[in-house]
Amino acid sequence: MSLRTAIRHSRSLSLSAFGARFASSAAKLPTLKERLAQLIPAEIENVKAIRAEHGKKAFGQVTVDQVYGGMRGLPALLWDGSVLDAEEGIRFRGKTIPDCQQLLPKAIGGSEPLPEALFWLLLTGEVPTQEQVQELSKDWAARAAIPEFVEELIDRCPGTLHPMSQFSLAVTALNHDSAFAKAYAEGISKKDYWGPTFDDSMDLIAKLPNIAGRIYRNVYGRGKLPAIESTKDYSWNLANLLGFADNEAFVELLRLYLTIHSDHEGGNVSAHTGKLVGSALSDPFLAYGAALNGLAGPLHGLANQEVLVWLRKMQGKIGVNASDDDVKEYVWSTLKSGQVVPGYGHAVLRKTDPRYTAQRDFALKHLPSDPLFRLVGQIYNIVPGILLDAGKAKNPWPNVDAHSGVLLTYYGLDQMQFYTVLFGVSRALGVTAQLIWDRALGAPLERPKSYSSTAIKHMFESQK
Ligand SMILES: CC(C)(COP(=O)(O)OP(=O)(O)OC[C@H]1O[C@@H](n2cnc3c(N)ncnc32)[C@H](O)[C@@H]1OP(=O)(O)O)[C@@H](O)C(=O)NCCC(=O)NCCS
């Protein structure tokens, strides 16, 4: 049997096994873990076939500039969950954000996709049923409690410690109960790694709202944390832990927010950090703790905090209803003092980020005349032209972070230092989905080669 036939055979086998199972109990749909178990064997064969046929072919070259330039554009990573096109923006398993808004299950009465559904899509490439999503919400609610010592750890953090540092500390500490670390110590076989990685990932995602809620309430003095409600979806529970669940529009915003921040292909700092650390077979808690530390950088996830800080400073300096000329002058003063305009530019994108557009559409629907939203719109008409005139940024357009803080502020969540924590809750969906597939496909330890400047010089001198 040729390799291609073998793949087709194994795929149809797994599908027919699925069909048979489905026929024998028509009402019982597979859980996420069961569905993954069905999909993994065919994907292992698929990867084997690609490597057998194309393994020795090159599909890019490495320039010296890429070595010095943060590996920009270097084709070096595998991730099927999402792909980022410079012009079009993100697609999750082939689906754009508007596709997801249309196709993924929503809460009853809601119109934004549920992040539970996005996680299912990232892992399987399939749109789950409403019932499967509800089961996932229930499963996460059942796993949501955090160990007492992690609660104490958070409670002991000084309020002056940045919420992202508290967040990464708590996530790392969850490794105390890692199913993967335990199974590894007991000698689990390589081919079974993905199972406990999946269990840890589900636990990790499930526990993030309790961690985020606790940090929020401690730092901002918001009182006692309510209990998780097992009949409610993930975003509602997170909103409730933060104290905002009585505002249905805010809950809808969180559903959208957690969906669109989840994944942005494999090369961004948080996704790649998770993958890199996971490649050492560090468990999902350790890998995601590391990813969060990358997300906490101002050029990455912290930019959503930075945008609000920058907007507030601008308002302090030029007033709330400033003229275009005043805004232009303020933007130029930011650039001239050697700072970046937060929320603008991107390492891959060359157009307005569709995640920005999705949030703008939400704002147009729910808060069209909010003054801060209007300022964001005014800036959108001004900053790209200035960045183009300044002549450095390859992409003068806004990214996801240019908008999120404005929406959160509108609903009263105006503690900007907390914004990246919400980003971190969402990004766990993408990073863990990647970790699970990496373990399923037997991804090896990452180990690229580094060179010294002397070696690079010599390499080309000898070619003169
Ligand atoms: C996202 C970001 C880090 C991408 O970096 P990058 O891939 O190196 O971007 P570029 O190749 O366009 O950078 C070329 C130059 O333009 C500058 N530039 C890029 N975006 C800029 C911005 N928003 N404001 C001012 N200058 C910017 C870079 O700092 C760089 O300057 P340098 O040559 O002096 O080092 C960058 O656009 C940035 O700092 N943006 C603001 C922070 C932000 O919003 N981050 C969230 C990203 S989702």
Side-chain angles (χ1 to χ4, degrees), residues 72 298-300 303 335 339-347 355 387 392-395 399-401:
R72 208 62 90 253
L299 295 187
H300 190 24
L335 292 179
Q339 296 165 52
V340 295
V341 178
Y344 279 76
H346 198 273
R355 298 172 300 174
L387 285 177
K392 281 215 294 186
K394 294 191 188 68
N395 175 32
N399 59 56
V400 67
D401 298 315

PDB file of all heavy atoms in Angstrom, residues 72 298-300 303 335 339-347 355 387 392-395 399-401, ligand 1:
ATOM      1  N   ARG A  72      12.409  37.462  11.748  1.00  0.00           N
ATOM      2  CA  ARG A  72      11.163  37.872  11.096  1.00  0.00           C
ATOM      3  C   ARG A  72      10.949  37.093   9.799  1.00  0.00           C
ATOM      4  O   ARG A  72      11.819  37.064   8.933  1.00  0.00           O
ATOM      5  CB  ARG A  72      11.237  39.384  10.823  1.00  0.00           C
ATOM      6  CG  ARG A  72       9.937  40.077  10.778  1.00  0.00           C
ATOM      7  CD  ARG A  72       9.150  40.029  12.083  1.00  0.00           C
ATOM      8  NE  ARG A  72       9.453  41.132  12.968  1.00  0.00           N
ATOM      9  CZ  ARG A  72      10.171  41.017  14.084  1.00  0.00           C
ATOM     10  NH1 ARG A  72      10.645  39.861  14.468  1.00  0.00           N
ATOM     11  NH2 ARG A  72      10.400  42.061  14.839  1.00  0.00           N
ATOM     12  N   PRO A 298       5.775  44.818  26.777  1.00  0.00           N
ATOM     13  CA  PRO A 298       5.038  45.926  26.154  1.00  0.00           C
ATOM     14  C   PRO A 298       4.946  45.861  24.627  1.00  0.00           C
ATOM     15  O   PRO A 298       4.055  46.469  24.050  1.00  0.00           O
ATOM     16  CB  PRO A 298       5.793  47.181  26.601  1.00  0.00           C
ATOM     17  CG  PRO A 298       7.123  46.705  27.081  1.00  0.00           C
ATOM     18  CD  PRO A 298       6.943  45.290  27.542  1.00  0.00           C
ATOM     19  N   LEU A 299       5.846  45.128  23.980  1.00  0.00           N
ATOM     20  CA  LEU A 299       5.718  45.007  22.522  1.00  0.00           C
ATOM     21  C   LEU A 299       4.724  43.912  22.153  1.00  0.00           C
ATOM     22  O   LEU A 299       4.371  43.754  20.994  1.00  0.00           O
ATOM     23  CB  LEU A 299       7.083  44.728  21.865  1.00  0.00           C
ATOM     24  CG  LEU A 299       8.114  45.843  21.987  1.00  0.00           C
ATOM     25  CD1 LEU A 299       9.348  45.528  21.150  1.00  0.00           C
ATOM     26  CD2 LEU A 299       7.547  47.207  21.595  1.00  0.00           C
ATOM     27  N   HIS A 300       4.311  43.117  23.143  1.00  0.00           N
ATOM     28  CA  HIS A 300       3.358  42.026  22.875  1.00  0.00           C
ATOM     29  C   HIS A 300       2.061  42.335  23.645  1.00  0.00           C
ATOM     30  O   HIS A 300       1.462  43.386  23.444  1.00  0.00           O
ATOM     31  CB  HIS A 300       4.025  40.699  23.275  1.00  0.00           C
ATOM     32  CG  HIS A 300       3.306  39.456  22.860  1.00  0.00           C
ATOM     33  ND1 HIS A 300       2.439  39.392  21.811  1.00  0.00           N
ATOM     34  CD2 HIS A 300       3.338  38.176  23.370  1.00  0.00           C
ATOM     35  CE1 HIS A 300       1.956  38.166  21.683  1.00  0.00           C
ATOM     36  NE2 HIS A 300       2.490  37.399  22.626  1.00  0.00           N
ATOM     37  N   ALA A 303       0.751  45.675  25.401  1.00  0.00           N
ATOM     38  CA  ALA A 303       0.406  46.852  24.584  1.00  0.00           C
ATOM     39  C   ALA A 303      -1.026  47.313  24.849  1.00  0.00           C
ATOM     40  O   ALA A 303      -1.319  48.496  24.726  1.00  0.00           O
ATOM     41  CB  ALA A 303       0.621  46.549  23.104  1.00  0.00           C
ATOM     42  N   LEU A 335       6.709  59.909  18.957  1.00  0.00           N
ATOM     43  CA  LEU A 335       7.746  59.327  18.084  1.00  0.00           C
ATOM     44  C   LEU A 335       9.094  60.023  18.296  1.00  0.00           C
ATOM     45  O   LEU A 335      10.132  59.360  18.379  1.00  0.00           O
ATOM     46  CB  LEU A 335       7.331  59.463  16.617  1.00  0.00           C
ATOM     47  CG  LEU A 335       6.124  58.626  16.171  1.00  0.00           C
ATOM     48  CD1 LEU A 335       5.796  58.871  14.704  1.00  0.00           C
ATOM     49  CD2 LEU A 335       6.382  57.138  16.409  1.00  0.00           C
ATOM     50  N   GLN A 339       9.713  56.784  21.464  1.00  0.00           N
ATOM     51  CA  GLN A 339       8.780  55.731  21.906  1.00  0.00           C
ATOM     52  C   GLN A 339       7.947  55.239  20.723  1.00  0.00           C
ATOM     53  O   GLN A 339       7.831  55.929  19.716  1.00  0.00           O
ATOM     54  CB  GLN A 339       7.823  56.300  22.960  1.00  0.00           C
ATOM     55  CG  GLN A 339       8.512  56.752  24.235  1.00  0.00           C
ATOM     56  CD  GLN A 339       7.578  57.624  25.066  1.00  0.00           C
ATOM     57  OE1 GLN A 339       6.460  57.239  25.353  1.00  0.00           O
ATOM     58  NE2 GLN A 339       8.039  58.802  25.423  1.00  0.00           N
ATOM     59  N   VAL A 340       7.365  54.057  20.887  1.00  0.00           N
ATOM     60  CA  VAL A 340       6.469  53.556  19.843  1.00  0.00           C
ATOM     61  C   VAL A 340       5.044  54.039  20.143  1.00  0.00           C
ATOM     62  O   VAL A 340       4.718  54.353  21.281  1.00  0.00           O
ATOM     63  CB  VAL A 340       6.475  52.001  19.756  1.00  0.00           C
ATOM     64  CG1 VAL A 340       7.829  51.498  19.319  1.00  0.00           C
ATOM     65  CG2 VAL A 340       6.026  51.357  21.060  1.00  0.00           C
ATOM     66  N   VAL A 341       4.224  54.116  19.097  1.00  0.00           N
ATOM     67  CA  VAL A 341       2.794  54.393  19.302  1.00  0.00           C
ATOM     68  C   VAL A 341       2.150  53.043  19.614  1.00  0.00           C
ATOM     69  O   VAL A 341       2.069  52.177  18.738  1.00  0.00           O
ATOM     70  CB  VAL A 341       2.151  55.010  18.046  1.00  0.00           C
ATOM     71  CG1 VAL A 341       0.658  55.239  18.270  1.00  0.00           C
ATOM     72  CG2 VAL A 341       2.853  56.309  17.683  1.00  0.00           C
ATOM     73  N   PRO A 342       1.714  52.835  20.858  1.00  0.00           N
ATOM     74  CA  PRO A 342       1.200  51.504  21.194  1.00  0.00           C
ATOM     75  C   PRO A 342      -0.094  51.202  20.448  1.00  0.00           C
ATOM     76  O   PRO A 342      -0.912  52.094  20.209  1.00  0.00           O
ATOM     77  CB  PRO A 342       0.954  51.589  22.711  1.00  0.00           C
ATOM     78  CG  PRO A 342       0.865  53.036  23.026  1.00  0.00           C
ATOM     79  CD  PRO A 342       1.656  53.773  21.991  1.00  0.00           C
ATOM     80  N   GLY A 343      -0.251  49.919  20.072  1.00  0.00           N
ATOM     81  CA  GLY A 343      -1.472  49.518  19.370  1.00  0.00           C
ATOM     82  C   GLY A 343      -1.369  49.662  17.862  1.00  0.00           C
ATOM     83  O   GLY A 343      -2.321  49.336  17.147  1.00  0.00           O
ATOM     84  N   TYR A 344      -0.222  50.141  17.387  1.00  0.00           N
ATOM     85  CA  TYR A 344      -0.028  50.275  15.936  1.00  0.00           C
ATOM     86  C   TYR A 344       1.197  49.493  15.502  1.00  0.00           C
ATOM     87  O   TYR A 344       2.161  49.365  16.247  1.00  0.00           O
ATOM     88  CB  TYR A 344       0.106  51.759  15.553  1.00  0.00           C
ATOM     89  CG  TYR A 344      -1.263  52.396  15.460  1.00  0.00           C
ATOM     90  CD1 TYR A 344      -1.947  52.725  16.626  1.00  0.00           C
ATOM     91  CD2 TYR A 344      -1.893  52.588  14.238  1.00  0.00           C
ATOM     92  CE1 TYR A 344      -3.238  53.253  16.563  1.00  0.00           C
ATOM     93  CE2 TYR A 344      -3.176  53.111  14.165  1.00  0.00           C
ATOM     94  CZ  TYR A 344      -3.844  53.437  15.331  1.00  0.00           C
ATOM     95  OH  TYR A 344      -5.120  53.936  15.272  1.00  0.00           O
ATOM     96  N   GLY A 345       1.130  48.949  14.292  1.00  0.00           N
ATOM     97  CA  GLY A 345       2.244  48.166  13.760  1.00  0.00           C
ATOM     98  C   GLY A 345       2.066  46.688  14.067  1.00  0.00           C
ATOM     99  O   GLY A 345       1.287  46.305  14.960  1.00  0.00           O
ATOM    100  N   HIS A 346       2.744  45.861  13.325  1.00  0.00           N
ATOM    101  CA  HIS A 346       2.700  44.418  13.560  1.00  0.00           C
ATOM    102  C   HIS A 346       3.860  43.761  12.825  1.00  0.00           C
ATOM    103  O   HIS A 346       4.261  44.223  11.753  1.00  0.00           O
ATOM    104  CB  HIS A 346       1.373  43.817  13.081  1.00  0.00           C
ATOM    105  CG  HIS A 346       1.106  42.477  13.681  1.00  0.00           C
ATOM    106  ND1 HIS A 346       1.575  41.318  13.122  1.00  0.00           N
ATOM    107  CD2 HIS A 346       0.455  42.121  14.822  1.00  0.00           C
ATOM    108  CE1 HIS A 346       1.212  40.305  13.887  1.00  0.00           C
ATOM    109  NE2 HIS A 346       0.537  40.755  14.931  1.00  0.00           N
ATOM    110  N   ALA A 347       4.353  42.676  13.421  1.00  0.00           N
ATOM    111  CA  ALA A 347       5.489  41.974  12.806  1.00  0.00           C
ATOM    112  C   ALA A 347       5.092  41.241  11.524  1.00  0.00           C
ATOM    113  O   ALA A 347       5.925  41.023  10.651  1.00  0.00           O
ATOM    114  CB  ALA A 347       6.095  41.007  13.818  1.00  0.00           C
ATOM    115  N   ARG A 355      -8.949  41.728  14.122  1.00  0.00           N
ATOM    116  CA  ARG A 355      -9.360  41.695  15.533  1.00  0.00           C
ATOM    117  C   ARG A 355      -9.709  43.112  16.001  1.00  0.00           C
ATOM    118  O   ARG A 355     -10.573  43.304  16.846  1.00  0.00           O
ATOM    119  CB  ARG A 355      -8.237  41.100  16.397  1.00  0.00           C
ATOM    120  CG  ARG A 355      -7.899  39.660  16.021  1.00  0.00           C
ATOM    121  CD  ARG A 355      -6.654  39.169  16.751  1.00  0.00           C
ATOM    122  NE  ARG A 355      -5.480  39.985  16.446  1.00  0.00           N
ATOM    123  CZ  ARG A 355      -4.296  39.860  17.028  1.00  0.00           C
ATOM    124  NH1 ARG A 355      -4.115  38.933  17.961  1.00  0.00           N
ATOM    125  NH2 ARG A 355      -3.280  40.636  16.685  1.00  0.00           N
ATOM    126  N   LEU A 387       2.806  57.531  10.785  1.00  0.00           N
ATOM    127  CA  LEU A 387       3.802  56.441  10.779  1.00  0.00           C
ATOM    128  C   LEU A 387       4.384  56.279   9.369  1.00  0.00           C
ATOM    129  O   LEU A 387       5.577  56.000   9.210  1.00  0.00           O
ATOM    130  CB  LEU A 387       3.177  55.128  11.269  1.00  0.00           C
ATOM    131  CG  LEU A 387       2.929  55.022  12.786  1.00  0.00           C
ATOM    132  CD1 LEU A 387       2.241  53.707  13.136  1.00  0.00           C
ATOM    133  CD2 LEU A 387       4.232  55.156  13.590  1.00  0.00           C
ATOM    134  N   LYS A 392       9.405  54.522   9.143  1.00  0.00           N
ATOM    135  CA  LYS A 392      10.098  53.359   9.724  1.00  0.00           C
ATOM    136  C   LYS A 392       9.202  52.119   9.809  1.00  0.00           C
ATOM    137  O   LYS A 392       9.575  51.043   9.347  1.00  0.00           O
ATOM    138  CB  LYS A 392      10.608  53.715  11.131  1.00  0.00           C
ATOM    139  CG  LYS A 392      11.886  54.541  11.087  1.00  0.00           C
ATOM    140  CD  LYS A 392      12.843  54.250  12.208  1.00  0.00           C
ATOM    141  CE  LYS A 392      12.314  54.643  13.569  1.00  0.00           C
ATOM    142  NZ  LYS A 392      13.298  54.477  14.626  1.00  0.00           N
ATOM    143  N   ALA A 393       8.042  52.271  10.389  1.00  0.00           N
ATOM    144  CA  ALA A 393       7.170  51.101  10.619  1.00  0.00           C
ATOM    145  C   ALA A 393       6.736  50.478   9.295  1.00  0.00           C
ATOM    146  O   ALA A 393       6.302  51.185   8.382  1.00  0.00           O
ATOM    147  CB  ALA A 393       5.948  51.523  11.423  1.00  0.00           C
ATOM    148  N   LYS A 394       6.868  49.165   9.192  1.00  0.00           N
ATOM    149  CA  LYS A 394       6.453  48.492   7.950  1.00  0.00           C
ATOM    150  C   LYS A 394       4.936  48.401   7.859  1.00  0.00           C
ATOM    151  O   LYS A 394       4.383  48.259   6.787  1.00  0.00           O
ATOM    152  CB  LYS A 394       7.067  47.088   7.876  1.00  0.00           C
ATOM    153  CG  LYS A 394       8.586  47.131   7.757  1.00  0.00           C
ATOM    154  CD  LYS A 394       9.151  45.765   7.415  1.00  0.00           C
ATOM    155  CE  LYS A 394      10.664  45.799   7.495  1.00  0.00           C
ATOM    156  NZ  LYS A 394      11.147  45.975   8.901  1.00  0.00           N
ATOM    157  N   ASN A 395       4.282  48.456   9.011  1.00  0.00           N
ATOM    158  CA  ASN A 395       2.821  48.400   9.018  1.00  0.00           C
ATOM    159  C   ASN A 395       2.288  49.558   9.868  1.00  0.00           C
ATOM    160  O   ASN A 395       2.469  49.572  11.080  1.00  0.00           O
ATOM    161  CB  ASN A 395       2.369  47.056   9.625  1.00  0.00           C
ATOM    162  CG  ASN A 395       0.869  46.983   9.782  1.00  0.00           C
ATOM    163  OD1 ASN A 395       0.125  47.556   8.991  1.00  0.00           O
ATOM    164  ND2 ASN A 395       0.414  46.300  10.814  1.00  0.00           N
ATOM    165  N   ASN A 399      -3.376  47.369  15.503  1.00  0.00           N
ATOM    166  CA  ASN A 399      -3.478  45.943  15.840  1.00  0.00           C
ATOM    167  C   ASN A 399      -4.557  45.768  16.919  1.00  0.00           C
ATOM    168  O   ASN A 399      -5.206  46.728  17.329  1.00  0.00           O
ATOM    169  CB  ASN A 399      -2.106  45.396  16.270  1.00  0.00           C
ATOM    170  CG  ASN A 399      -1.538  46.121  17.476  1.00  0.00           C
ATOM    171  OD1 ASN A 399      -2.178  46.185  18.526  1.00  0.00           O
ATOM    172  ND2 ASN A 399      -0.339  46.685  17.334  1.00  0.00           N
ATOM    173  N   VAL A 400      -4.695  44.548  17.382  1.00  0.00           N
ATOM    174  CA  VAL A 400      -5.764  44.192  18.326  1.00  0.00           C
ATOM    175  C   VAL A 400      -5.776  45.078  19.573  1.00  0.00           C
ATOM    176  O   VAL A 400      -6.824  45.410  20.117  1.00  0.00           O
ATOM    177  CB  VAL A 400      -5.627  42.698  18.712  1.00  0.00           C
ATOM    178  CG1 VAL A 400      -4.354  42.434  19.514  1.00  0.00           C
ATOM    179  CG2 VAL A 400      -6.829  42.160  19.441  1.00  0.00           C
ATOM    180  N   ASP A 401      -4.557  45.457  20.025  1.00  0.00           N
ATOM    181  CA  ASP A 401      -4.455  46.144  21.312  1.00  0.00           C
ATOM    182  C   ASP A 401      -4.917  47.598  21.260  1.00  0.00           C
ATOM    183  O   ASP A 401      -5.149  48.213  22.300  1.00  0.00           O
ATOM    184  CB  ASP A 401      -3.007  46.078  21.822  1.00  0.00           C
ATOM    185  CG  ASP A 401      -2.582  44.643  22.059  1.00  0.00           C
ATOM    186  OD1 ASP A 401      -3.381  43.894  22.657  1.00  0.00           O
ATOM    187  OD2 ASP A 401      -1.483  44.265  21.639  1.00  0.00           O
TER     188      ASP A 401
HETATM  189  C1  LIG B   1       4.449  45.181  16.983  1.00  0.00           C
HETATM  190  C2  LIG B   1       5.858  45.626  16.737  1.00  0.00           C
HETATM  191  C3  LIG B   1       6.728  45.225  17.927  1.00  0.00           C
HETATM  192  C4  LIG B   1       6.383  44.927  15.479  1.00  0.00           C
HETATM  193  O1  LIG B   1       7.762  45.184  15.400  1.00  0.00           O
HETATM  194  P1  LIG B   1       8.574  44.992  14.043  1.00  0.00           P
HETATM  195  O2  LIG B   1       8.175  43.755  13.339  1.00  0.00           O
HETATM  196  O3  LIG B   1      10.021  45.120  14.390  1.00  0.00           O
HETATM  197  O4  LIG B   1       8.046  46.222  13.190  1.00  0.00           O
HETATM  198  P2  LIG B   1       8.728  46.952  11.979  1.00  0.00           P
HETATM  199  O5  LIG B   1       9.572  46.028  11.169  1.00  0.00           O
HETATM  200  O6  LIG B   1       7.638  47.689  11.278  1.00  0.00           O
HETATM  201  O7  LIG B   1       9.718  47.984  12.713  1.00  0.00           O
HETATM  202  C5  LIG B   1      10.550  48.845  11.963  1.00  0.00           C
HETATM  203  C6  LIG B   1      10.777  50.110  12.769  1.00  0.00           C
HETATM  204  O8  LIG B   1       9.533  50.797  12.904  1.00  0.00           O
HETATM  205  C7  LIG B   1       9.281  51.043  14.280  1.00  0.00           C
HETATM  206  N1  LIG B   1       7.857  50.913  14.577  1.00  0.00           N
HETATM  207  C8  LIG B   1       7.057  49.839  14.330  1.00  0.00           C
HETATM  208  N2  LIG B   1       5.837  50.066  14.856  1.00  0.00           N
HETATM  209  C9  LIG B   1       5.883  51.278  15.430  1.00  0.00           C
HETATM  210  C10 LIG B   1       4.955  52.052  16.161  1.00  0.00           C
HETATM  211  N3  LIG B   1       3.737  51.599  16.444  1.00  0.00           N
HETATM  212  N4  LIG B   1       5.346  53.258  16.623  1.00  0.00           N
HETATM  213  C11 LIG B   1       6.567  53.721  16.378  1.00  0.00           C
HETATM  214  N5  LIG B   1       7.506  53.035  15.711  1.00  0.00           N
HETATM  215  C12 LIG B   1       7.166  51.811  15.258  1.00  0.00           C
HETATM  216  C13 LIG B   1      10.036  49.931  15.014  1.00  0.00           C
HETATM  217  O9  LIG B   1      10.239  50.268  16.381  1.00  0.00           O
HETATM  218  C14 LIG B   1      11.289  49.840  14.192  1.00  0.00           C
HETATM  219  O10 LIG B   1      12.134  50.905  14.565  1.00  0.00           O
HETATM  220  P3  LIG B   1      13.751  50.709  14.613  1.00  0.00           P
HETATM  221  O11 LIG B   1      14.132  50.419  13.205  1.00  0.00           O
HETATM  222  O12 LIG B   1      14.227  52.013  15.145  1.00  0.00           O
HETATM  223  O13 LIG B   1      13.999  49.552  15.522  1.00  0.00           O
HETATM  224  C15 LIG B   1       5.910  47.162  16.527  1.00  0.00           C
HETATM  225  O14 LIG B   1       5.068  47.530  15.446  1.00  0.00           O
HETATM  226  C16 LIG B   1       5.532  47.949  17.763  1.00  0.00           C
HETATM  227  O15 LIG B   1       6.411  48.200  18.613  1.00  0.00           O
HETATM  228  N6  LIG B   1       4.235  48.367  17.908  1.00  0.00           N
HETATM  229  C17 LIG B   1       3.754  49.017  19.101  1.00  0.00           C
HETATM  230  C18 LIG B   1       3.539  48.001  20.232  1.00  0.00           C
HETATM  231  C19 LIG B   1       2.313  47.151  19.969  1.00  0.00           C
HETATM  232  O16 LIG B   1       1.246  47.632  19.616  1.00  0.00           O
HETATM  233  N7  LIG B   1       2.469  45.825  20.183  1.00  0.00           N
HETATM  234  C20 LIG B   1       1.368  44.884  20.010  1.00  0.00           C
HETATM  235  C21 LIG B   1       1.533  44.077  18.784  1.00  0.00           C
HETATM  236  S1  LIG B   1       0.160  43.035  18.469  1.00  0.00           S
END
